[in-house]
Amino acid sequence: MRALTRAAALLLTLLALLGGGMAHGAGRGSAAEAQAMVGKAVLYLQQHGRQQALAEFNRPQGQFRDRDLYLVVFDLQGNGLAHLNPRLVGRATGDIRDADGKAIFQAQRALALDKGRGWVDYKWPNPQSGKIEQKSTWLEKAGDLIIMCGIYQ
């Protein structure tokens, strides 16, 4: 039943995206697209298992990369399991701070444990512009994983 509800929510989000156009233009993903990507990733994880899902999430030309949208996956201890930057995969990332000193993972973990999903704001390098930009990341807790996708402002 829960998977059906999640699938229905994902379908509604995707239909809204198809009818609503691109809020941020051709080069930037929207908040709805980031949420849809995380929802799709959670379903993929449930259907294919952890090992196959992480391999797909890390695939450079995979289905979980779209313009400036990409997945980030941590376990609850802050170990990087999927990221656009392969140097962060397999690394303890719980102490990473943004340009303003915000402990990013600590904020993400606290939200995941408290509410299970939501948005976290911080500053992060945009892979397209190469500049540090304001970023909002949607996250969902899936078992012992936190699956995230963010948008640049």
Side-chain angles (χ1 to χ4, degrees):
M1 182 68 161
R2 184 178 180 144
L4 180 59
T5 304
R6 195 179 295 273
L10 178 60
L11 178 60
L12 289 174
T13 301
L14 291 174
L15 289 173
L17 291 173
L18 292 174
M22 304 275 288
H24 284 73
R28 292 192 180 231
S30 70
E33 289 171 313
Q35 287 177 294
M37 185 178 287
V38 170
K40 179 180 172 183
V42 170
L43 287 174
Y44 192 94
L45 174 67
Q46 292 170 346
Q47 294 170 348
H48 299 280
R50 183 179 178 125
Q51 184 176 1
Q52 186 175 343
L54 291 174
E56 182 62 24
F57 298 163
N58 279 304
R59 199 162 62 89
Q61 304 304 319
Q63 62 183 304
F64 295 99
R65 304 276 172 95
D66 180 17
R67 295 161 292 150
D68 64 344
L69 299 176
Y70 56 91
L71 288 180
V72 175
V73 180
F74 294 119
D75 65 18
L76 293 175
Q77 290 71 46
N79 298 305
L81 303 174
H83 200 285
L84 178 72
N85 181 346
R87 293 180 301 160
L88 296 178
V89 176
R91 181 174 164 219
T93 57
D95 60 346
I96 291 179
R97 296 182 179 273
D98 76 355
D100 293 333
K102 181 176 185 173
I104 302 168
F105 173 73
Q106 300 309 321
Q108 293 165 334
R109 182 180 189 274
L111 180 61
L113 291 174
D114 185 40
K115 299 195 182 210
R117 64 178 60 183
W119 291 99
V120 174
D121 297 326
Y122 55 97
K123 293 182 179 175
W124 193 254
N126 183 326
Q128 288 186 332
S129 72
K131 297 178 183 175
I132 294 176
E133 298 180 21
Q134 187 64 40
K135 187 170 185 175
S136 294
T137 292
W138 175 257
L139 65 84
E140 290 188 30
K141 183 178 175 291
D144 66 339
L145 301 179
I146 304 171
I147 301 176
M148 302 175 267
C149 181
I151 57 168
Y152 292 92
Q153 303 298 322

